[in-house]
């Protein structure tokens, strides 16, 4: 067991403790994600389930963690695929139970084919079953079958768990605050994605296709050791920058366009999520710069606001205030700041939230609000800060602003002292962005 795997074992210990505290013990079962067919015998690339991986670091499909908090102590079990010379010729390496137990720090490991036969005994006489509920339909059926199977053995003197708890609530709370192992991986994910944005600025030019820039991003991600994209890259030029979840990435870019890129890699199971907006020809026009400077001011004000103790929702309010005042100053909204905030007229140009938790999932686990109260930030939380302005053509909008879409998104870590920007290496000031764009033509 190496150092990283001690981290996973410690997380499993913490869950076992939670089970004892909540229900006096019990059984936790966590499956990884199912493999998903793409067509015929082709599968989508396998992506582990984040909860499963958080507790194991085990990368293979067809695996289940079982944690037993019993009267005679704790036991940590893994069910996984067996070694199989024939299958390994076709599909590649598998750990097999023996190596998996040793390397990933479990007490026992068994073939996944033995799961159905072994579980009823493991689940007997446990006060509670902790498992994800409603996450995978097939798993829900297996859980129901298991409970019925144990119940069916009542005459042999055993009882089934009376309580079934969705284990995700406890895991969400743990995942919300990142430990140093996670922060190290997120730093790397953010560094790779920052380089990719710099590369994109250098690569974009009038006449090129959006997907050519998308390919540059993917190139940087994969050659830097990232395993996947954290989400589909948005490469949106000209009017497409005003489409929040633009996906086509197939327009030919024109001189005078802005290019909005929202793209981030996944590195060893951790996401990064960066947006930058820059001029395709390397120089902002006056109206583009006016909107860009406004969004940048809002984004910097939001980052400044992030600190331990701050209610999560506060920085969204900061974004709304700065943007709304800017829209008034530019003649895009009418009335006083209070009136514009009250009426929501600014939402014509800014209609999304200022950010979200970031971690294993791009929109990561964790509550934002509890019993009506915003969650307060604590050191170790990672969130995105991503205000934007999207000016679609409309009768009430001066034509010089039409089709300008700007979003600026960084990933920030809450620290005891305040905040650390994990994506500060991606060019952001007007001068830095224009310089990064010129690098391409050199
Ligand atoms: N890329 C997804 C988001 O920014 O939330
Ligand atoms: Mn985001
Ligand atoms: Mn994003």
């Amino acid at each position: 067991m190496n150092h990283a795997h001690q981290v996973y074992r410690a997380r499993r210990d913490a869950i076992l403790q939670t089970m004892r505290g909540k229900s006096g013990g019990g059984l936790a079962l966590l499956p990884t994600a199912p493999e998903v067919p793409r067509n015929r015998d082709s599968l989508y690339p396998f992506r582990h389930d984040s909860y499963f991986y958080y507790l194991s670091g085990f990368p293979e499909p067809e695996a289940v963690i079982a944690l037993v908090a019993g009267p005679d102590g704790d036991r940590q079990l893994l069910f996984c695929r067996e070694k199989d010379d024939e299958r390994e010729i076709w599909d590649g390496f598998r750990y097999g139970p023996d190596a998996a137990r040793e390397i990933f720090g479990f007490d026992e490991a068994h073939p996944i084919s033995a799961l159905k036969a072994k579980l009823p005994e493991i689940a007997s006489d446990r006060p509670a079953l902790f498992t994800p509920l409603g996450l995978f339909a097939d798993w829900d059926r297996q859980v129901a079958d298991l409970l019925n199977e144990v119940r069916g053995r009542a005459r042999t003197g055993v009882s089934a768990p009376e309580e079934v708890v969705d284990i995700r609530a406890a895991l969400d709370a743990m995942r919300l605050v990142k430990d140093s192992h996670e922060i190290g991986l997120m730093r790397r994910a953010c560094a790779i994605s920052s380089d990719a944005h710099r590369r994109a600025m250098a690569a974009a030019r009038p006449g090129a296709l959006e997907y050519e820039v998308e390919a540059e991003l993917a190139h940087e991600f994969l050659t830097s050791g990232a395993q996947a994209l954290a989400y589909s890259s948005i490469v949106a030029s000209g009017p497409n920058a005003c489409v929040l979840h633009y996906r086509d990435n197939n327009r030919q870019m024109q001189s005078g366009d802005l290019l909005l890129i929202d793209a981030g890699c996944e590195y060893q199971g951790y996401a990064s999520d960066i947006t930058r907006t820059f001029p395709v020809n390397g120089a902002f026009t006056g109206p583009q710069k006016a909107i860009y400077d406004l969004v940048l001011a809002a984004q910097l004000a939001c980052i400044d606001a992030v600190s331990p103790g701050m209610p999560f929702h506060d920085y969204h309010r900061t974004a709304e205030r700065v943007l709304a005042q800017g829209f008034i100053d530019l003649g895009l909204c009418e009335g006083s700041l209070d009136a514009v905030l009250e009426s929501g007229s600014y939402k014509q140009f800014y209609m999304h939230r200022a950010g979200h938790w970031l971690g294993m999932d791009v929109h990561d686990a964790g509550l934002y609000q509890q019993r009506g109260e915003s969650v307060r930030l604590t050191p170790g939380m990672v969130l995105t800060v991503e205000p934007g302005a999207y000016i679609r053509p409309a009768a009430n909008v001066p034509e010089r602003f039409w089709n300008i879409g700007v979003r600026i998104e960084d990933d920030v870590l809450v620290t005891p002292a305040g905040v650390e920007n994990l994506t500060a290496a991606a060019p952001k000031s007007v001068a830095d962005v224009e310089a990064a764009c010129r690098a391409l033509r050199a």
Side-chain angles (χ1 to χ4, degrees):
M1 185 168 52
N2 65 27
H3 170 71
H5 297 125
Q6 286 171 18
V7 170
Y8 298 110
R9 185 162 178 106
R11 290 178 190 157
R12 297 194 294 268
D13 285 336
I15 285 292
L16 284 159
Q17 253 189 352
T18 302
M19 292 158 63
R20 288 190 186 279
K22 186 168 170 50
S23 306
L27 169 66
L29 294 174
L30 279 114
T32 195
E35 293 182 291
V36 182
R38 187 168 188 273
N39 52 51
R40 299 176 72 94
D41 57 354
S42 293
L43 303 173
Y44 281 105
F46 176 69
R47 166 56 157 79
H48 55 253
D49 173 68
S50 295
Y51 293 107
F52 171 91
Y53 193 82
Y54 182 75
L55 291 181
S56 67
F58 189 68
E60 294 181 13
E62 297 187 86
V64 174
I65 298 167
L67 303 176
V68 180
D72 45 358
D74 294 344
R75 267 196 309 158
Q76 304 190 0
L77 289 75
L78 178 70
F79 291 84
C80 65
R81 299 183 304 190
E82 281 186 277
K83 294 293 288 176
D84 182 332
D85 288 344
E86 175 66 13
R87 286 315 322 161
E88 289 185 54
I89 288 171
W90 290 88
D91 300 329
F93 174 81
R94 330 172 146 191
Y95 283 96
D98 290 342
R101 176 183 51 72
E102 175 70 23
I103 294 169
F104 295 88
F106 284 86
D107 300 317
E108 292 174 35
H110 302 280
I112 187 74
S113 54
L115 182 73
K116 204 170 166 358
K118 280 200 174 294
L119 273 189
E121 192 199 317
I122 299 173
S124 293
D125 292 329
R126 307 290 174 204
L129 174 63
F130 295 78
T131 196
L133 296 171
L135 183 59
F136 303 121
D138 185 61
W139 179 252
D140 288 346
R141 265 191 301 278
Q142 289 187 55
V143 167
D145 289 350
L146 169 66
L147 291 171
N148 285 331
E149 172 73 29
V150 182
R151 216 184 291 271
R153 298 181 180 194
R155 266 173 291 166
T156 68
V158 299
S159 61
E162 278 186 26
E163 197 188 355
V164 181
V165 180
D166 192 335
I167 196 171
R168 287 179 295 177
L171 285 167
D172 285 347
M174 285 172 72
R175 284 175 56 186
L176 187 47
V177 180
K178 276 68 181 173
D179 59 32
S180 57
H181 173 74
E182 298 182 283
I183 290 168
L185 296 176
M186 294 191 77
R187 273 189 215 290
R188 183 73 191 125
C190 287
I192 294 170
S193 294
S194 298
D195 285 348
H197 278 264
R198 186 180 289 279
R199 183 187 181 100
M201 289 175 193
R205 58 190 158 71
L209 281 300
E210 291 167 343
Y211 56 71
E212 294 180 59
V213 180
E214 182 182 11
E216 296 289 338
L217 293 157
H219 178 99
E220 190 70 31
F221 293 157
L222 297 180
T223 55
S224 302
Q227 292 77 25
L229 274 58
Y231 52 93
S232 302
S233 300
I234 295 171
V235 183
S237 65
N240 297 334
C242 295
V243 180
L244 295 181
H245 292 162
Y246 176 68
R247 270 180 263 269
D248 292 345
N249 294 359
N250 60 4
R251 177 175 173 274
Q252 188 173 41
M253 297 178 280
Q254 314 292 317
S255 185
D257 287 345
L258 286 180
L259 180 61
L260 182 156
I261 296 180
D262 186 343
C265 69
E266 180 175 297
Y267 180 76
Q268 294 193 18
Y270 284 82
S272 51
D273 182 8
I274 302 180
T275 307
R276 288 293 186 265
T277 309
F278 57 92
V280 163
N281 66 11
F284 286 95
T285 65
Q288 288 170 350
K289 186 169 175 304
I291 302 293
Y292 189 88
D293 279 340
L294 171 60
V295 175
L296 183 58
Q299 207 249 4
L300 294 173
C302 288
I303 294 179
D304 257 4
V306 171
S307 59
M310 183 193 86
F312 175 84
H313 293 307
D314 276 19
Y315 78 113
H316 180 62
R317 300 211 179 90
T318 302
E320 287 172 325
R321 291 188 79 78
V322 176
L323 290 170
Q325 184 61 57
F327 295 150
I328 295 166
D329 296 344
L330 292 169
L332 289 164
C333 286
E334 268 181 51
S336 67
L337 176 58
D338 285 345
V340 166
L341 288 171
E342 172 70 25
S343 71
S345 63
Y346 68 90
K347 291 182 185 165
Q348 182 180 352
F349 311 115
Y350 173 55
M351 60 298 276
H352 59 74
R353 306 291 297 179
H356 50 83
W357 305 131
L358 183 73
M360 301 186 113
D361 302 336
V362 64
H363 293 175
D364 203 34
L367 295 176
Y368 291 93
Q369 195 162 313
Q370 226 170 352
R371 286 178 286 280
E373 292 244 338
S374 182
V375 166
R376 287 182 186 271
L377 300 184
T378 61
M381 291 179 173
V382 179
L383 51 146
T384 68
V385 180
E386 51 177 308
Y390 314 91
I391 324 286
R392 289 169 168 270
N396 66 338
V397 174
E399 207 169 326
R400 65 183 180 284
F401 293 121
W402 285 11
N403 293 321
I404 295 178
V406 173
R407 180 163 63 256
I408 305 173
E409 176 175 28
D410 281 313
D411 304 340
V412 305
L413 167 69
V414 183
T415 67
V419 65
E420 178 188 331
N421 186 350
L422 302 176
T423 50
K428 188 163 74 169
S429 70
V430 165
D432 285 354
V433 164
E434 289 187 343
C437 292
R438 279 195 301 276
L440 96 149
R441 277 172 288 274

